[in-house]
Amino acid sequence: MAVTTMIGAKIHRREDPRLVSGHGRFVDDMTRPGMVHMAVVRSPLAHAKIRSIDPSDASKAPGVHAVYTYADFKDHIAGGLPVSASFVAEKKQVPNQFPIAHDEVVYQGEPVAVVIAGERYQAADAALLVQVDYDPLPAVMNLDKAMRPGGPTAHSGAPDNIGWELTYSPDSPEAFQEAEVVVRERILQQRLFPIAMEGRGLVAEYDGYDKRLTLWTSSQVPHFIRLFVGTACGLAESQVRVIAGPDVGGAFGSKIRPYPEEYLACIASKLAARPVKWTEGRSENLVATTHGRGQIFDIEVGAKKDGTLVALKVTQFLDIGAYQGVFGAFQAVACLLSGGAYRWKHIAARTVGVLTNKTSTDPYRGAGRPEATHLVERAVDLVAREIGMDPVDVRRKNFATEFPFTNNFGLTYDSGNYAKALDKALDLAGYQDLRREQEALRRQGRYLGIGLSTWIEICGLGPSAATAPAAGVALVESSQVRIHPTGGVSVYVGTHSHGQSHDTTFAQLVADTLGVPYDSIEIRHGDTAEGPAFGYGTYGSRSLAVGGMSVRKSCLKVIDKAKKLAAHVLEAAEDDIVFEQGRFTVKGSPENSKSIGEIAFASYGAGLPEGMEQGLEAVSYFDPPNFTWPFGAHVCVVEVDPETGAVDMRKYIAVDDCGNVINPMIVDGQIVGGIVQGIAQALYEEVVYDDESGQLKTGTLLDYLVPTANEIPAMVLDKTLTPSPTNELGVKGIGEAGTIAASAAVINAICDALSPFGIKHVDMPASPDRLWKQIQLAKRASGDGKEARQ
């Protein structure tokens, strides 16, 4: 494509002045005439039978309009929440998740009643007066116990707790026969809270006269919400308008699906004949919004003593929670990407989804790809240590080097140069100097560690052939570009921005393609009443590679029509018209030209070419031929204090490759944010339940340790540039890259630091107390690390 000053320019986000000056508008800022508030009465128990619900006291509380239970909703909501096939088409059991519990609760926080009142505090106070009599049942909380035959089940009457069990590729003892060394490890991916800055919230307004529903909700997929919620509530899509926002304050995958509160508020609005508002509190958010990760991987790695990777065996045990997440099985993609950036003779992979009495897990930033990267990057380091080889050399020896590269599961990596990214990262880190420093410090009883992560990612979710069977609809993307009579441009996109900077980058793309002023472009998204029939949303780093290409296609359609009209206006043959920098010019006659604005004005007038309709606009859907595959190399340097277990992160270097870059400033911001989330998982964050009672122990942000800027080191960022051949823009995607890479780099660094003690593996989060205990145990066997100082 032609490159102008807009593509690749470091332009400040034009969203920022509005947002940082307090002019953003979120769902909680909204009010409607006659609006009432909804509070949700939630189960305090992880598993129990409901004997009775007595709403009488709550119904008499000040300001209360109504208290609704299952009996009020059962005739208005068909079925339950949807469950997609994702990467596990055949599931063993899918418990129906009706939006409100009937006679049994299966996780702490499950809705059992809703209170509708004039003010939010009135609804909250009255919710405390709803009397629910529970008969507690055993809570299934531990994955190993949950899989034992004959044990308690997460749902009464269920045959067992196995939600799915799928072998993608069977074990191959023959492959391991070639291995000269075999290492095994169990790797924990702890549960995490997504912690978007804005929790969930909604306003539902049902018009009983016109039978139309308008739903404002903090979602990243408004069209899917309209599809799922409208259908379940007995409404055609033409009767339902869903608006994401007005603004949405982050999601990280947790707002990719419909939630029970959306169904309940819509029907409550219908029953109460008033707009109903619900705003999630933070503690409520921690039990009612889906969690991420929650997985255990058992891995077995076979290699030759020269560092050649031979065979990998992976078993994923995934904590589904009480109900199958709408896209929960997407996380099984970790199995299909477990080979990472490397060539393997064979990979055996199996996934097991296990039902427990916890909040459901669903996609969280990266969804399956951080898990895959973590396991394979740990595997490579374990092999390197076993054979006494530098982990850099093991990586270099096994990188995929010829592209397109097809991995063991038939996925085709579009382009890459993994060694180049690694070399650049090592140069920036001063790798050889660090190794010398490490050796010197160990003689002083100090423990420096250097960790690597050479990551890859599948993103740009969209090829219809791959996604339609998994999601039900093909995850292509749509756009509409409209040039108004005086030259202003409105662009409607099917992706949704909740922090990704679409207003800026899509405007750069349109300005570049149409040659119009950047400030004349308006980007609109998130409203199902505008633009094309269906937008597929933002997730999986797909907005630019799929949605951006759709915008590009619509712009080109507009130019194509405008070119025909320009030829008519300039009285020239269409083949003689050249379009450049927003002007149509007759070849060899530069004085005969018209701007695209002038042609736009003409398109709304009379005297158009025969058969041409008025207006200058176009709609496009883009179906990419393949996924895109960004990659990179991260280096983390830590020093671990063996007396306290504290980790001092000294350096973090990230060299990433997301193909062509539209706005480097925004790419850097995405990478930094992602790395912070990866560091948070590696060192700080963990959702903890009581194993017996099922009570959430980390139910506030005082108990769940989200790091601040003080815990995050300054980062060194750089890039290589390997365009994707799968789209004209040559872009790949970067929104999840930092999160995918970082946890492995940090944990590899800690394991490297503690290797003199004989410590081979550390689980996440590598908190000081966990490390201290592990060091104390290891010291007894390692002679206090003295051998490293000899």
Side-chain angles (χ1 to χ4, degrees):
M1 64 176 291
V3 175
T4 72
T5 55
M6 297 305 296
I7 299 295
K10 284 187 176 180
I11 297 174
H12 285 282
R13 284 173 23 117
R14 60 183 190 177
E15 300 93 328
D16 285 345
R18 183 173 62 83
L19 293 171
V20 301
S21 62
H23 289 83
R25 290 188 70 235
F26 299 86
V27 173
D28 196 44
D29 295 319
M30 289 195 58
T31 186
R32 301 292 296 167
M35 186 176 75
V36 293
H37 295 261
M38 181 175 83
V40 181
V41 180
R42 300 183 183 278
S43 169
L45 303 177
H47 194 194
K49 283 287 185 185
I50 299 174
R51 288 175 173 157
S52 63
I53 301 175
D54 180 1
S56 55
D57 289 345
S59 300
K60 299 170 190 170
V64 170
H65 290 250
V67 179
Y68 299 131
T69 64
Y70 171 83
D72 300 292
F73 291 104
K74 65 181 176 61
D75 294 330
H76 295 277
I77 301 173
L81 272 67
V83 175
S84 70
S86 292
F87 287 101
V88 183
E90 299 292 332
K91 299 179 175 67
K92 292 191 69 175
Q93 53 179 315
V94 182
N96 183 43
Q97 185 177 10
F98 195 77
I100 193 165
H102 175 208
D103 57 0
E104 183 177 4
V105 290
V106 290
Y107 68 95
Q108 182 187 0
E110 183 165 14
V112 295
V114 299
V115 177
I116 307 298
E119 300 293 339
R120 187 183 178 197
Y121 77 91
Q122 292 173 325
D125 288 348
L128 298 174
L129 302 176
V130 176
Q131 301 297 315
V132 186
D133 187 13
Y134 296 101
D135 184 8
L137 295 170
V140 178
M141 305 305 292
N142 178 281
L143 285 190
D144 287 331
K145 292 180 181 176
M147 289 186 285
R148 291 175 190 164
T153 54
H155 293 258
S156 297
D160 52 36
N161 295 310
I162 305 302
W164 72 68
E165 185 170 6
L166 175 63
T167 298
Y168 292 107
S169 176
D171 192 10
S172 172
E174 296 78 18
F176 274 94
Q177 284 178 359
E178 292 188 24
E180 295 167 335
V181 295
V182 175
V183 294
R184 299 176 180 82
E185 191 56 73
R186 167 163 279 206
I187 297 173
L188 172 67
Q189 284 280 338
Q190 76 273 34
R191 265 185 181 251
L192 299 172
F193 294 135
I195 310 286
M197 188 177 293
E198 179 203 22
R200 293 183 296 117
L202 57 88
V203 175
E205 184 171 3
Y206 182 77
D207 184 330
Y209 182 79
D210 287 333
K211 295 184 171 44
R212 300 182 66 84
L213 172 70
T214 303
L215 176 65
W216 293 264
T217 180
S218 55
S219 172
Q220 56 193 100
V221 287
H223 285 84
F224 277 109
I225 299 299
R226 181 179 66 170
L227 175 67
F228 292 137
V229 177
T231 302
C233 294
L235 297 168
E237 285 170 295
S238 58
Q239 295 175 279
V240 182
R241 179 185 182 187
V242 176
I243 301 165
D247 286 307
V248 176
F252 306 125
S254 68
K255 299 175 183 174
I256 200 176
R257 51 168 281 168
Y259 277 92
E261 295 82 3
E262 286 160 331
Y263 297 80
L264 299 176
C266 290
I267 296 305
S269 174
K270 183 178 183 180
L271 295 173
R274 289 171 176 270
V276 172
K277 181 177 186 177
W278 171 74
T279 302
E280 186 180 57
R282 183 56 72 184
S283 291
E284 190 175 28
N285 168 263
L286 301 184
V287 295
T289 294
T290 55
H291 299 171
R293 314 284 192 260
Q295 298 163 46
I296 295 171
F297 291 88
D298 285 338
I299 67 168
E300 185 175 338
V301 194
K304 295 183 178 178
K305 290 183 178 177
D306 67 356
T308 302
L309 299 173
V310 176
L312 176 64
K313 181 179 178 182
V314 176
T315 303
Q316 176 193 45
F317 300 102
L318 194 152
D319 184 349
I320 294 171
Y323 295 105
Q324 300 264 9
V326 178
F327 300 104
F330 181 90
Q331 300 166 100
V333 73
C335 293
L336 307 181
L337 300 178
S338 56
Y342 312 106
R343 300 183 303 269
W344 299 84
K345 183 170 184 179
H346 183 77
I347 299 177
R350 170 174 166 253
T351 178
V352 182
V354 184
L355 292 160
T356 60
N357 291 118
K358 304 177 191 174
T359 299
S360 298
T361 53
D362 234 358
Y364 166 59
R365 200 169 189 174
R369 292 153 287 178
E371 297 93 315
T373 298
H374 195 90
L375 79 86
V376 72
E377 292 303 295
R378 285 268 54 235
V380 169
D381 270 30
L382 288 167
V383 166
R385 178 165 172 165
E386 186 71 18
I387 61 177
M389 192 170 176
D390 191 315
V392 169
D393 295 331
V394 177
R395 285 172 169 81
R396 283 191 177 129
K397 190 175 186 67
N398 293 282
F399 277 147
T401 54
E402 296 182 5
F403 294 89
F405 170 78
T406 301
N407 80 359
N408 298 69
F409 298 95
L411 295 168
T412 302
Y413 302 5
D414 57 355
S415 62
N417 189 336
Y418 305 150
K420 184 178 180 181
L422 177 59
D423 289 345
K424 198 166 192 176
L426 295 174
D427 285 345
L428 289 169
Y431 185 71
Q432 294 305 328
D433 290 341
L434 284 170
R435 286 296 181 200
R436 285 189 283 271
E437 182 184 2
Q438 180 185 51
E439 190 177 344
L441 288 175
R442 283 181 178 174
R443 286 194 289 271
Q444 302 170 28
R446 294 174 61 184
Y447 298 93
L448 189 77
I450 306 150
L452 308 175
S453 175
T454 45
W455 65 277
I456 58 131
E457 178 190 5
I458 182 174
C459 70
L461 303 185
S464 60
T467 58
V473 295
L475 300 180
V476 301
E477 198 43 84
S478 63
S479 68
Q480 181 176 19
V481 172
R482 177 182 301 152
I483 303 185
H484 299 283
T486 58
V489 181
S490 293
V491 181
Y492 303 90
V493 297
T495 54
H496 177 262
S497 181
H498 36 279
Q500 292 85 352
S501 314
H502 294 176
D503 286 357
T504 302
T505 50
F506 282 165
Q508 288 181 255
L509 178 58
V510 173
D512 186 82
T513 306
L514 294 180
V516 299
Y518 172 73
D519 290 336
S520 70
I521 301 163
E522 176 193 36
I523 304 295
R524 297 190 65 85
H525 53 79
D527 186 341
T528 62
E530 297 182 338
F534 204 91
Y536 298 81
T538 295
Y539 42 84
S541 301
R542 66 188 300 276
S543 291
L544 185 56
V546 189
M549 272 303 301
S550 172
V551 172
R552 168 89 174 159
K553 280 186 65 178
S554 291
C555 288
L556 294 177
K557 285 182 181 178
V558 165
I559 292 170
D560 188 55
K561 179 178 179 180
K563 189 175 180 181
K564 291 180 172 61
L565 181 54
H568 178 75
V569 171
L570 295 170
E571 299 180 338
E574 185 180 339
D575 289 345
D576 290 334
I577 299 296
V578 176
F579 178 70
E580 190 173 8
Q581 300 292 318
R583 294 196 73 83
F584 297 91
T585 304
V586 179
K587 286 179 185 174
S589 181
E591 70 279 9
N592 289 331
S593 70
K594 293 287 183 182
S595 71
I596 194 167
E598 292 174 296
I599 295 300
F601 190 81
S603 76
Y604 290 91
L608 302 182
E610 186 176 352
M612 179 178 285
E613 297 176 353
Q614 268 74 15
L616 197 53
E617 58 187 322
V619 173
S620 296
Y621 286 75
F622 178 65
D623 184 1
N626 188 12
F627 300 102
T628 56
W629 297 83
F631 62 91
H634 288 205
V635 180
C636 179
V637 182
V638 303
E639 183 173 355
V640 181
D641 183 343
E643 300 304 319
T644 65
V647 175
D648 176 22
M649 194 174 297
R650 294 176 42 170
K651 279 187 182 179
Y652 197 100
I653 295 94
V655 175
D656 298 295
D657 193 321
C658 60
N660 288 329
V661 172
I662 304 298
N663 188 323
M665 185 181 298
I666 289 171
V667 167
D668 287 352
Q670 293 271 24
I671 292 171
V672 169
I675 291 172
V676 170
Q677 282 186 295
I679 292 173
Q681 178 176 9
L683 296 179
Y684 303 105
E685 298 183 5
E686 182 175 28
V687 176
V688 179
Y689 284 93
D690 184 274
D691 263 355
E692 296 301 320
S693 69
Q695 290 295 300
L696 182 63
K697 290 181 169 180
T698 51
T700 75
L701 293 187
L702 291 174
D703 307 299
Y704 186 84
L705 190 57
V706 178
T708 70
N710 290 330
E711 283 75 54
I712 305 301
M715 299 174 197
V716 177
L717 305 183
D718 209 328
K719 66 178 183 296
T720 58
L721 199 163
T722 311
S724 172
T726 63
N727 62 75
E728 186 184 353
L729 296 170
V731 297
K732 293 193 169 187
I734 202 66
E736 297 153 305
T739 310
I740 290 169
S743 72
V746 175
I747 295 300
N748 279 344
I750 294 172
C751 292
D752 184 52
L754 299 180
S755 60
F757 298 104
I759 293 174
K760 295 181 179 178
H761 179 69
V762 170
D763 269 327
M764 299 184 289
S767 56
D769 64 319
R770 173 173 278 170
L771 289 184
W772 185 85
K773 290 173 185 171
Q774 203 165 344
I775 291 168
Q776 300 313 305
L777 289 173
K779 273 183 174 180
R780 298 170 194 164
S782 68
D784 202 19
K786 289 177 183 175
E787 73 280 5
R789 303 195 292 275
Q790 293 173 350

